[in-house]
Amino acid sequence: MTPQPFKGELPASIFQPDEVKARNWWATLTEPEQEERIYDLTQVLEFYGIDLPDSDERWMMACWENEFA
């Protein structure tokens, strides 16, 4: 079967920078969900000896990358 050409429009979200996507995703989480993700990521980073993010912004990006990378 030959691939069909794409018909229609691409979703606007694919053109957003990662930081915008991360902010939008982070805003949908409750504070306990954010804290849980930070805690879980802390465990992984410490296990591998990786420095922890040093700001809320960097934690948000690190959690987003962990979730979607």
Side-chain angles (χ1 to χ4, degrees):
M1 180 183 338
T2 55
Q4 298 297 315
F6 180 78
K7 294 181 181 178
E9 294 185 25
L10 294 173
S13 64
I14 68 166
F15 300 110
Q16 291 178 335
D18 287 348
E19 188 172 332
V20 172
K21 292 177 188 176
R23 283 184 196 283
N24 291 339
W25 169 75
W26 194 248
T28 66
L29 302 176
T30 64
E31 190 170 330
E33 289 173 323
Q34 291 175 358
E35 291 173 0
E36 181 181 348
R37 282 180 166 78
I38 289 172
Y39 176 80
D40 292 344
L41 186 55
T42 299
Q43 302 304 307
V44 172
L45 295 175
E46 286 179 342
F47 177 81
Y48 288 106
I50 299 171
D51 292 338
L52 299 178
D54 59 1
S55 70
D56 291 342
E57 181 83 10
R58 289 182 176 164
W59 271 113
M60 175 195 68
M61 289 302 297
C63 289
W64 181 79
E65 289 172 1
N66 186 55
E67 185 84 11
F68 295 100

